[in-house]
Amino acid sequence: MTVPFTHSRPILWGDTDAANIAYTVRFLDYCLEAIEEWFKGVCKTDWYVLNMDRSTGTPFVNANIDFKAPLTPRNKLHTQVLIKRLGTASITFHLRGLRDDDVVSFEAQLTCCFVNNKEMTSIPIPDDFRQNIESYIEAGGTVQAAGSQ
């Protein structure tokens, strides 16, 4: 398992705004894209399968993004996904977006809660996911281990 999990993507022309930098609202998309890839890599499932086959959702209940440096189509974005907190029914992620030149573009914290999709009530994180997440944390996939703040 590679820690921290890192999702890389280009910044495309369609990601930019009139200032010729990545449009502010796209950063939340970048975060969600990286977290979904983290779910595939660490929890061995994607959100579609989780929702459709297990009737389990992970709606986000909090999001916070601090912008540090702009992104343009000249950059490739490398988003690191770390765990800040693992609760009974929730996960708080810490994400760090790095450009190819290792400049930090953004840092974000997003919290999702596991829910039963049929009743829309919170449920404990399923045991198979919790085991994989705990293994990721033990391998160094936490904010403290990575030296983030």
Side-chain angles (χ1 to χ4, degrees):
M1 172 180 318
T2 302
V3 176
F5 179 90
T6 303
H7 174 64
S8 298
R9 71 172 323 276
I11 301 302
L12 306 173
W13 173 254
D15 292 330
T16 64
D17 60 14
N20 295 317
I21 59 175
Y23 183 45
T24 304
V25 298
R26 294 289 293 138
F27 285 82
L28 188 54
D29 290 334
Y30 302 151
C31 290
L32 294 175
E33 188 177 279
I35 292 170
E36 183 168 13
E37 290 299 318
W38 177 89
F39 262 92
K40 290 178 188 175
V42 173
C43 295
K44 309 301 182 209
T45 193
D46 61 44
W47 284 335
Y48 185 82
V49 169
L50 184 63
N51 279 271
M52 300 305 294
D53 298 350
R54 294 180 69 159
S55 297
T56 300
T58 55
F60 284 83
V61 297
N62 187 283
N64 181 19
I65 303 174
D66 291 321
F67 301 98
K68 308 284 187 181
L71 292 170
T72 73
R74 290 189 172 112
N75 301 124
K76 188 167 188 178
L77 174 62
H78 309 280
T79 304
Q80 298 174 341
V81 181
L82 298 163
I83 304 300
K84 181 172 184 183
R85 182 181 174 281
L86 179 62
T88 302
S90 65
I91 306 172
T92 299
F93 294 95
H94 181 92
L95 295 98
R96 179 183 291 150
L98 299 163
R99 301 186 320 201
D100 280 330
D101 58 3
D102 289 329
V103 169
V104 176
S105 176
F106 70 88
E107 292 200 60
Q109 291 184 43
L110 286 83
T111 302
C112 69
C113 180
F114 282 75
V115 299
N116 174 311
N117 278 351
K118 296 190 185 333
E119 299 172 10
M120 290 310 289
T121 55
S122 73
I123 59 171
I125 297 169
D127 289 339
D128 54 334
F129 295 161
R130 179 171 290 282
Q131 290 171 359
N132 291 342
I133 296 165
E134 287 174 349
S135 293
Y136 181 73
I137 290 169
E138 289 169 13
T142 64
V143 174
Q144 295 79 16
S148 296
Q149 303 201 356

